[in-house]
Amino acid sequence: MNTKRLFGRLAAATLVFSVFGLTAQAQIKPHRVPAYSGQAPARSSYSKPAASATDGVKIGIRAGVNVADWSGDAVQSVLDLAEYTNGAVTKEMRTGFHAGLYATLPLGPRFAIEPGVLYSEKGVVLNGRIPLEQFDFLNARVTATARMAYLDVPLLAKAYLTEGLYLYGGPQASFLLSGNARVQAGALGFAALNRDFDVKNQFRPVDFALTGGLGYQFQNGLGLSAGYDYGLSSLDKNNRFDAQNRVIKAAVNFSF
């Protein structure tokens, strides 16, 4: 074999092995141990994100407080009467509760449908007294409380503004479970009357409303919400008076 050709091949092989060796050495990064500073290394402050509509189908329970009232011509007549009686007749909201089940069905990354079933207390409170100063010493008062219980069936649309924070709204059908008027009367600190009257058959069996509000759902399943029910139907089935349900709701829920 020609000596020059042999040296040429050896030089080429040496060049190839040198290139591969430098390339491999450049890809290997040496691990440097940081100098000890006397302080513990900082830990990552990772926090789990809040819930969104992409978390899948959820079943949950919800419970909270109702602050209920009636609105309409009949209620306005009571308020007008109060003006003529110098405050002898007053109207107050009735406090109750609601509780039930719901299912959250995602439709996309930021939207969901949520049907539910809730037991819900509604109504109103009317207070009256003798509007004459000479009878003030009697402290004679009458309180009439409309105690209505419904099975609310809302169908809500939920739109997530950010992770966990959402707006909701939709129609609601409410089925009347019970209705009574509690009348309490007394004077001089003594109760003269405390009686419940069944008035369910005087009210419409189904009430329709629009409901909406704001809520926040945490990743651990806990959630908070607040909303408002705006009744659309007149409550009296015989059309003798015009009144609609109005309910402020605040609730805590848990999704499984």
Side-chain angles (χ1 to χ4, degrees), residues 62-63 98-101 116-120 150-154 172 249:
R62 174 175 286 115
H98 66 272
L101 305 173
V117 178
L118 301 159
Y119 173 86
S120 186
Y150 287 88
L151 187 69
D152 288 346
V153 183
Q172 175 177 276
K249 290 181 175 179

Side-chain angles (χ1 to χ4, degrees), residues 53-238:
T54 59
D55 289 342
V57 176
K58 298 287 185 180
I59 304 297
I61 56 175
R62 174 175 286 115
V65 178
N66 285 357
V67 181
D69 195 4
W70 285 356
S71 180
D73 293 340
V75 176
Q76 188 59 47
S77 297
V78 173
L79 297 179
D80 293 342
L81 178 62
E83 294 182 1
Y84 290 107
T85 59
N86 194 25
V89 178
T90 59
K91 180 177 69 74
E92 299 177 3
M93 292 182 171
R94 185 202 172 200
T95 302
F97 76 95
H98 66 272
L101 305 173
Y102 64 88
T104 304
L105 314 174
L107 296 180
R110 292 192 176 276
F111 295 96
I113 294 296
E114 190 173 279
V117 178
L118 301 159
Y119 173 86
S120 186
E121 294 182 340
K122 307 175 187 181
V124 70
V125 179
L126 297 176
N127 291 311
R129 62 178 177 81
I130 299 176
L132 299 175
E133 293 183 2
Q134 56 268 37
F135 293 103
D136 285 348
F137 73 95
L138 293 175
N139 194 27
R141 296 183 179 277
V142 177
T143 300
T145 305
R147 300 161 54 88
M148 318 301 293
Y150 287 88
L151 187 69
D152 288 346
V153 183
L155 180 59
L156 306 178
K158 298 174 67 176
Y160 284 82
L161 305 178
T162 62
E163 292 291 334
L165 182 65
Y166 62 88
L167 292 173
Y168 71 88
Q172 175 177 276
S174 299
F175 300 90
L176 184 61
L177 300 177
S178 65
N180 66 70
R182 173 167 293 178
V183 179
Q184 298 168 304
L188 297 174
F190 296 97
L193 178 66
N194 188 353
R195 185 177 176 185
D196 289 346
F197 298 90
D198 189 354
V199 294
K200 179 181 177 182
N201 60 355
Q202 300 179 31
F203 286 77
R204 294 185 188 277
V206 182
D207 180 36
F208 294 98
L210 295 177
T211 182
L214 179 71
Y216 193 90
Q217 188 70 39
F218 297 94
Q219 189 68 33
N220 61 6
L222 184 67
L224 303 172
S225 62
Y228 187 74
D229 292 357
Y230 186 87
L232 302 175
S233 306
S234 180
L235 299 176
D236 179 25
K237 72 175 184 180
N238 298 314

Side-chain angles (χ1 to χ4, degrees), residues 16-32:
V16 169
F17 282 113
S18 298
V19 170
F20 277 107
L22 291 174
T23 303
Q25 186 177 5
Q27 291 179 349
I28 299 174
K29 295 182 180 180
H31 176 70
R32 297 181 180 179

